[in-house]
């Protein structure tokens, strides 16, 4: 997310904002050797909360630098926003305390139903390459052509988030289905 936001600022000639966001990118990329392909440094809720706050700050900088691309940051972090929001809402609607520790995010379900951490990371990268990047390029091209308006930008954002929510539901159902199949195999 940070790299995408920095590149948007570079593309618009806003190097100061790009460098500031780049510092956030460098700080988070520094964790990769310790956490990929196996996690050895656990950030927990506090660490992920701080990174979430930094993403919000970076989105604010990007919007201030390139107001015409006001939805770009929200599209760039769509996988994380939808997973967090849908997970917490599903916990609240099922009567569980949303603020208690849990392991119910989609990426956690995918690991528990047999995918490696590297493969789950690959799924998120595929989301970014197949959905986020084309949406951002479409947005940028319409701004460059002078034809982009708030309704078009909002439609692109809504489309990305709707697709992300459908992917979240499909992923959860897949994991639940494979969990039930494994359970049926164990029971004589």
């Amino acid at each position: 997310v940070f790299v995408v936001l920095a590149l948007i600022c570079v593309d618009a000639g806003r190097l100061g904002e790009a460098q500031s966001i780049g510092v956030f990118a460098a700080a988070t990329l520094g964790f990769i050797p310790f956490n990929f392909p196996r996690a050895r440094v656990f950030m927990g809720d506090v660490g992920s909360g701080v990174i979430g706050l930094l993403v919000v700050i970076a989105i604010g900088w990007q919007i201030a630098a390139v107001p015409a691309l006001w939805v770009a940051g929200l599209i760039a972090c769509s996988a994380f926003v939808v997973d967090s929001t849908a997970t917490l809402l599903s916990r609240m609607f099922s009567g569980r305390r949303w603020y208690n520790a849990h392991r119910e995010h989609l990426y956690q379900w995918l690991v528990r139903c047999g995918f490696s951490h590297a493969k789950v990371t690959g799924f998120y990268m595929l989301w970014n390459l197949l959905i986020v990047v084309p949406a951002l390029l479409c947005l940028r091209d319409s701004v460059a052509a002078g034809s982009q308006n708030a309704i078009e930008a909002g439609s692109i954002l809504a489309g990305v988030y709707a697709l992300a929510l459908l992917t979240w539901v499909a992923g959860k159902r897949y994991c639940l289905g494979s969990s039930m199949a494994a359970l049926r195999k164990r029971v004589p």
Side-chain angles (χ1 to χ4, degrees):
V1 173
F2 294 133
V3 170
V4 166
L5 296 175
L7 288 174
I8 290 168
C9 292
V10 166
D11 191 45
R14 301 297 299 260
L15 298 182
E17 290 86 348
Q19 289 174 339
S20 296
I21 296 169
V23 169
F24 290 171
T28 54
L29 290 173
F31 281 93
I32 288 178
F34 302 104
N35 287 320
F36 193 81
R38 284 200 46 192
R40 293 183 301 277
V41 176
F42 178 68
M43 292 186 346
D45 290 341
V46 173
S48 63
V50 169
I51 289 193
L53 179 61
L54 295 178
V55 167
V56 169
I57 291 168
I59 289 171
W61 285 342
Q62 179 267 309
I63 291 170
V66 191
L69 293 174
W70 60 275
V71 299
L74 298 174
I75 291 171
C77 64
S78 59
F80 310 113
V81 171
V82 169
D83 185 28
S84 297
T85 303
T87 298
L88 295 179
L89 286 175
S90 72
R91 287 179 58 79
M92 287 190 304
F93 290 139
S94 66
R96 290 172 289 160
R97 293 183 178 144
W98 62 271
Y99 49 85
N100 281 359
H102 62 87
R103 296 181 334 144
E104 295 181 36
H105 291 283
L106 179 58
Y107 66 89
Q108 293 166 320
W109 277 82
L110 290 169
V111 168
R112 280 198 313 273
C113 80
F115 293 101
S116 69
H117 291 280
K119 204 171 259 189
V120 172
T121 301
F123 291 151
Y124 279 80
M125 290 303 292
L126 271 175
W127 171 262
N128 288 329
L129 291 173
L130 299 177
I131 305 300
V132 170
V133 169
L136 292 174
L137 290 174
C138 178
L139 196 61
R140 186 191 70 173
D141 290 347
S142 66
V143 167
S147 64
Q148 196 252 1
N149 59 39
I151 294 173
E152 182 181 359
S155 297
I156 293 171
L157 178 66
V160 168
Y161 273 68
L163 189 55
L165 184 59
L166 289 173
T167 303
W168 184 86
V169 169
K172 286 280 186 132
R173 287 187 177 182
Y174 172 83
C175 290
L176 285 171
S178 58
S179 297
M180 292 304 293
L183 189 62
R184 281 192 289 271
K185 285 182 182 178
R186 288 187 205 154
V187 177

